[in-house]
Structures are given as structure tokens and as C-alpha cells.
């Protein structure tokens, strides 16, 4: 045994000899880890619960598009082959739907991969990106990875966008202005005219990263999914995903739309086989599945409305959402309420990661899931209110 020890020195021994392990890049020291929603199996195992409802990651409560599932099943016999490195069929189908050329599209391993790839393609050390706060963490992740700086601009009252304060934050070093619309985690959106005003005002060397992951859920007349601005040649990169309304979060596929020049640069840093073959056929199936998209949108619009009314009844404030989640204000007891909901088998997302320690973000579920969430929340509120009452 002592022999094998000398061949495989433990960490302690290495340090004793003054040997440092290989050093990670300096940029990594600045990076914050991503904090995902807790998976169902983990909460089941930890708390010994049979039924756990996850309303924490904005997944589609109706499940995946049946056409996508069917396409995956049909393709299983082919998985010994490498996938199409250019995702040609999917890009062609998307191009037709969106009235773009295939050269204006890139398919990626989830929208998240696109956010990393665009950072690798365009950000030098010391460059800046401008993003409102609170928003999706992956823009800052990509910037930090490249040693670039994220300039955070607070939202207005009610988490409304203010184009003027975003423009004021733009400097010589700004490469991206990141707009998530509808915004995660607030559900607020940037009206079409305001996006146009931003695009008109920015110098052409600044790319607007327009993350439209939740575009299919938006019901406001003045919402835009951004594609019209790609078609008319503005400096904009639209980020899309199959993880939300298409219900394919587990299979990892997303895409980007921009000018051919922007797409060409991003393609240069992409791994050849970044999107697996099952993801490609699943996405191709999903975009033809009108019935699944329509049903998902309807369940969400109705569920969102029902949640508003139920939250009103409980006397809770929330931000009206154009998305498939609602940011709910719970006051100073929010963390405790979040933990107690978890113990009852309801997983929501606690807002501290976005600097919103008084809030939780809850995904709109099925009718039944929404009802179970509200009844658990109402129980928890009663428990905490009773406990907080001074003893008579
Ligand atoms: C979910 C999400 C994405 C993309 O997620 P992937 O699963 O990586 O496709 C992008 N932006 C926002 C704001 C999201 O919420």
C-alpha cells in the first residue's frame, strides 16, 4: 500500500513538497457559479416526498412537443453516426419559417451555448457589455469568461426598461447591449418601438443581444420577437431556445439569428458537433407542431391570469409578466416561505440570486399545479403569520 501511495501522492503530500497544482486563468476567480433550480429527484430524496412539483426552471408543464418525441424515437437507430455539423436541415426549415437565409442562422447546444460562443467570438479582455439588472446570469458569465466587464444598469420602477439609461452606459469599449425580453426573472418586456429606438441610437459597432427565449408566451400587441430587425439588417443577434415552449430543455438545443457576418464569426468558435443528432431532429419536429405550441401558449395565458387573481386574493404583490413565470413579492419572510414550500413538495426559485431576497419566481404550471402551489402557499403564509403573532 505504501508503494501505491508514493505513485499517487495525495493533495497533502503534493503541497508538503511545495508543488502547486496547475493554475486556472485569472478570469475564473471573478466568475460566479450558475445556480440551477433544484431537480425533482433531489427534493424527493432529501425530504422523502412522493409528489414534487417543480415550478422553478420555466419548463413546459405540458411536456415536450409530441412531434419532437416521435422524431427522436424514429432516429434512435442512427445514433452511431456523427450529427450534421452544420445542422443543415434544421437551419433550412428555420430559415423558411423566419424568412431569413440559412447563413443568418446558427444552431447551438441550447441558447446558453450561443451566449458563450458570442462572448468568445467578440469579447476581448477589458471590453464591456451593458445589461439591465436583474436579468439572466449567462450574459455576465460569458463576459467574465473572456475577462470582459459587465456594466449593470438598474431597471426603472416595476422593472421597466429605460433605453436612455442603457444608452448612457455605452462607452468606447461596449460590444453588446443585452436585452432579455420578456426578461428573466421579472417577466417585463421591451416594447417594439423602444427596441427600434435603441437600435437606431447605438453605433453600429455595438451588437444588441436580444434574448427572446420566452417570446412565444408574450401576448402584448407591442411585443416583438426581434426577427423583423434581423431581416431589416440592424446590428442585432436574436437568441432563441427549444427549452421553453417547445419543451425540449433536457435535449439541449437553441439557435441564433443575425447578419451573415455576425453568424460567420460565431461559427468560427463553434465545435463541429456541438448539437447532437437527436436534438436536431427533435427541434425540426417541434417547429412544425402548431398544436403543441398553441396549447402551451393557451395553458400559460390562462394559468398566468389565474395566478394573478389567486395572488390578489392572498394580498400578495407581483410583477405582471409576458412570460411563463411570475415574480412574486413575499416580504422579509420570503426565504422561509420558499423553504417551507419546498418541504411541501413545491419547488420555486428564491430571488436572492438576482438580488431580490423578498421575492420568489414561480413558473406557470398546469391548472392542477397552479392550484397546488397556491394552496401550499396559503398554508405556509398562515403558519408563518401565526408564528409571528406576539404571544398574548
Ligand atoms: C432558458 C433561457 C435561455 C436558454 O436556455 P437553454 O436551455 O440553454 O436553451 C436563454 N435565455 C433565457 C433568459 C432563458 O431563461
Amino acid at each position: 500500500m505504501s508503494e501505491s501511495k508514493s505513485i499517487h501522492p495525495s493533495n497533502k503530500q503534493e503541497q508538503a513538497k511545495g508543488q502547486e497544482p496547475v493554475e486556472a486563468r485569472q478570469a475564473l476567480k471573478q466568475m460566479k457559479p450558475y445556480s440551477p433550480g433544484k431537480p425533482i429527484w433531489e427534493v424527493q430524496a432529501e425530504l422523502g416526498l412522493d409528489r414534487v412539483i417543480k415550478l422553478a426552471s420555466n419548463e413546459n408543464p405540458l411536456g415536450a412537443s409530441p412531434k419532437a418525441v416521435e422524431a427522436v424515437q424514429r432516429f434512435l437507430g442512427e445514433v452511431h453516426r456523427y450529427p450534421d455539423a452544420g445542422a443543415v436541415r434544421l437551419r433550412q426549415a428555420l430559415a423558411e419559417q423566419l424568412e431569413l437565409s440559412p447563413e443568418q442562422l446558427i444552431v447551438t447546444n441550447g441558447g446558453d451555448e450561443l451566449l458563450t460562443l458570442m462572448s468568445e467570438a467578440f469579447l476581448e479582455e477589458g471590453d464591456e457589455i451593458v445589461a439591465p439588472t436583474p436579468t439572466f446570469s449567462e450574459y455576465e458569465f460569458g463576459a467574465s469568461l473572456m475577462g470582459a466587464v459587465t456594466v449593470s444598469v438598474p431597471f426603472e420602477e416595476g422593472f421597466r426598461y429605460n433605453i436612455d439609461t442603457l444608452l448612457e452606459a455605452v462607452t468606447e469599449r461596449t460590444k453588446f447591449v443585452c436585452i432579455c425580453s420578456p426578461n428573466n426573472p421579472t417577466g417585463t418586456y421591451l416594447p417594439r418601438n423602444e427596441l427600434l429606438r435603441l437600435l437606431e441610437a447605438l453605433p453600429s459597432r455595438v451588437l444588441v443581444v436580444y434574448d427572446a427565449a420566452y417570446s412565444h408566451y408574450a401576448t402584448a400587441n407591442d411585443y416583438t420577437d426581434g426577427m423583423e430587425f434581423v431581416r431589416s439588417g440592424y446590428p442585432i443577434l436574436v437568441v432563441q431556445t427549444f427549452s421553453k415552449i417547445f419543451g425540449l430543455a433536457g435535449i439541449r438545443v437553441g439557435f441564433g439569428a443575425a447578419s451573415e457576418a455576425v453568424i460567420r464569426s460565431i461559427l468560427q468558435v463553434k465545435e463541429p458537433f456541438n448539437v447532437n443528432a437527436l436534438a436536431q431532429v427533435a427541434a425540426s419536429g417541434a417547429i412544425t407542431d402548431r398544436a403543441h405550441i398553441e396549447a402551451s401558449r393557451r395553458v400559460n395565458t390562462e394559468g398566468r391570469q389565474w395566478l394573478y387573481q389567486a395572488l390578489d386574493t392572498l394580498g400578495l404583490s407581483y410583477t405582471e409578466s409576458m412570460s411563463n413565470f411570475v415574480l412574486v413579492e413575499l416580504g422579509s419572510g420570503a426565504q422561509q416561505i420558499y423553504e417551507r414550500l419546498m418541504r411541501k413538495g413545491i419547488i420555486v426559485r428564491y430571488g436572492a440570486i438576482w438580488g431580490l431576497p423578498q421575492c420568489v419566481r414561480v413558473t406557470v404550471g398546469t391548472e392542477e399545479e397552479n392550484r397546488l402551489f397556491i394552496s401550499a402557499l396559503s398554508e405556509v403564509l398562515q403558519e408563518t403569520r401565526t408564528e409571528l403573532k406576539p404571544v398574548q
Side-chain angles (χ1 to χ4, degrees), residues 57-58 109-113 115 136 139 180 182 184 211 213-214 239-244 249 252-254 361:
S57 299
N58 306 336
N109 186 20
D112 286 358
E113 190 201 22
L115 298 175
F136 194 49
Y139 321 125
C180 184
N184 181 2
D211 187 339
Y214 299 98
V239 178
Q240 264 296 354
T241 178
F242 288 92
S243 299
K244 306 289 155 57
R252 314 301 305 131
V253 54
R361 189 196 67 192

